[in-house]
Amino acid sequence: MLTEMTSPENMLQRLGRLDRFGESESINILKVAITENVKNGSCKGSLAFFLNQLNCLQTTKAWYDFLQDQLVDQSFKLSKLYQLYKAFHTQQDQENSAVFQDMQKALKKSIDRINNKVTEPTKISKPKTAEQKSKISKNSLRGDSRFVQLAKLNLNDYAKPVFENEYAYQPPLDDTTEYDNLTESLNIIQELGLINFIAQKHGNIDPSHPVKGIPEKKQKSRCMVLENYARDADFPLYLSYIEDDLNKVGGTGIRHPEAIYYAVCDQQPIGSISLDKLNILTTMPEGK
């Protein structure tokens, strides 16, 4: 199994999938991808950012260092790793430990979220109208999310992905029919630099969007308009564009390196995948 660097609990859970009942006669191998930045003690990179968002980055780094000290060039049974897991948390059971830091951060973030994005329980009666549409309220746990649209990516052959000239979903022609939609964290969209790319291109791709009337030199204003309108399902943020739309602003060569696509295959939808992850997948040597 090949996995990214992850928390101790996730690692133990994934190890169980290799040979849960100990029936294999050969050694099972779990390869954990560790970036050079993490090895050198840095917290840079998209994986470190993701773990930091989950409030487990410091714990994960401490777990990696602990295993390096305990299991270098050794084969072991799951029972041995469970013992090490218990020993790890025994060592971490003190103030200013990695686990303590992550827990403090998680609690603080929870308090901030409750204070900033959740109103007191209130029952508000509103008459239902035929034109009522999906919107994300600022005062909710989803206040950081925005509606998004993704171009489809066919991965029947992962080595030869096909960029389909179609979006993940199509809005209906009328105002009353419900339809599927996708959402993503605005924080992630900003961190990837996608919001700036959308602000530069979207007005020319969709002249009907309110961002079209804002001068190109006012990028901050454009970003704010895009972010605010994306609370409405009718104005999603396009995290990737189909070929027809890219041709309006320079062609497929200007795809954003972190663009996020909606991967599908003949059997089923796969889910979102970023362009940089796709490049890693398609350049991976055979057998890996």
Side-chain angles (χ1 to χ4, degrees):
M1 179 185 290
L2 176 64
T3 178
E4 77 280 6
M5 183 177 70
T6 187
S7 65
E9 292 72 26
N10 279 351
M11 184 176 289
L12 288 174
Q13 191 272 342
R14 293 172 190 179
L15 271 170
R17 294 178 179 272
L18 279 173
D19 187 17
R20 189 178 304 278
F21 302 106
E23 298 172 344
S24 175
E25 296 180 359
S26 59
I27 295 176
N28 301 289
I29 299 175
L30 175 72
K31 291 186 176 181
V32 183
I34 307 290
T35 66
E36 289 299 323
N37 284 327
V38 172
K39 287 182 180 180
N40 296 329
S42 173
C43 296
K44 295 180 180 179
S46 57
L47 178 55
F49 170 78
F50 176 72
L51 292 172
N52 192 49
Q53 290 294 106
L54 296 179
N55 308 308
C56 65
L57 175 60
Q58 301 306 321
T59 302
T60 300
K61 288 171 61 181
W63 175 244
Y64 166 73
D65 293 337
F66 181 77
L67 292 184
Q68 285 290 97
D69 293 336
Q70 300 290 332
L71 293 178
V72 173
D73 299 325
Q74 294 183 39
S75 300
F76 57 90
K77 294 185 177 180
L78 280 178
S79 57
K80 169 69 173 177
L81 193 60
Y82 291 141
Q83 293 172 7
L84 290 176
Y85 173 77
K86 183 176 181 180
F88 170 76
H89 276 286
T90 300
Q91 291 183 11
Q92 292 291 322
D93 189 19
Q94 54 186 321
E95 200 167 324
N96 297 324
S97 68
V99 174
F100 183 84
Q101 292 177 41
D102 282 340
M103 182 62 70
Q104 288 288 93
K105 183 179 178 183
L107 290 172
K108 183 179 183 302
K109 185 180 288 186
S110 297
I111 293 170
D112 290 342
R113 176 151 294 189
I114 291 173
N115 289 337
N116 295 335
K117 297 182 179 179
V118 179
T119 59
E120 290 296 320
T122 308
K123 183 175 181 180
I124 302 175
S125 298
K126 289 185 178 180
K128 292 185 177 181
T129 64
E131 297 185 2
Q132 195 169 13
K133 300 178 182 179
S134 298
K135 288 190 177 183
I136 297 174
S137 171
K138 293 181 181 180
N139 299 317
S140 74
L141 292 174
R142 297 180 64 209
D144 180 54
S145 297
R146 295 295 186 274
F147 288 106
V148 297
Q149 177 66 281
L150 311 177
K152 281 188 178 180
L153 176 68
N154 190 307
L155 287 183
N156 281 325
D157 181 355
Y158 76 87
K160 297 178 182 179
V162 177
F163 294 94
E164 296 189 355
N165 200 32
E166 180 183 356
Y167 284 112
Y169 64 89
Q170 298 296 326
L173 298 177
D174 59 80
D175 291 332
T176 58
T177 304
E178 293 186 2
Y179 61 97
D180 293 333
N181 49 59
L182 302 169
T183 61
E184 182 57 271
S185 165
L186 178 60
N187 190 41
I188 292 177
I189 299 171
Q190 293 170 337
E191 289 287 339
L192 294 176
L194 286 172
I195 190 64
N196 295 317
F197 180 80
I198 300 168
Q200 293 171 4
K201 309 297 182 184
H202 199 71
N204 292 326
I205 292 175
D206 180 10
S208 65
H209 194 285
V211 77
K212 176 64 176 178
I214 302 174
E216 292 184 7
K217 61 181 180 180
K218 295 185 177 181
Q219 285 300 302
K220 288 186 178 180
S221 297
R222 283 191 166 202
C223 290
M224 288 180 62
V225 169
L226 285 164
E227 292 170 4
N228 289 331
Y229 270 86
R231 294 182 185 278
D232 190 321
D234 286 343
F235 298 97
L237 296 174
Y238 282 66
L239 305 189
S240 55
Y241 290 102
I242 61 175
E243 183 176 347
D244 284 351
D245 284 342
L246 287 171
N247 287 336
K248 299 175 184 177
V249 289
T252 57
I254 61 118
R255 284 191 177 102
H256 192 279
E258 300 280 357
I260 300 176
Y261 286 81
Y262 189 70
V264 298
C265 64
D266 288 344
Q267 286 74 30
Q268 64 182 29
I270 299 173
S272 61
I273 181 172
S274 63
L275 201 55
D276 67 325
K277 298 296 188 301
L278 175 66
N279 291 333
I280 294 173
L281 184 66
T282 55
T283 57
M284 187 180 296
E286 291 187 10
K288 298 292 186 180

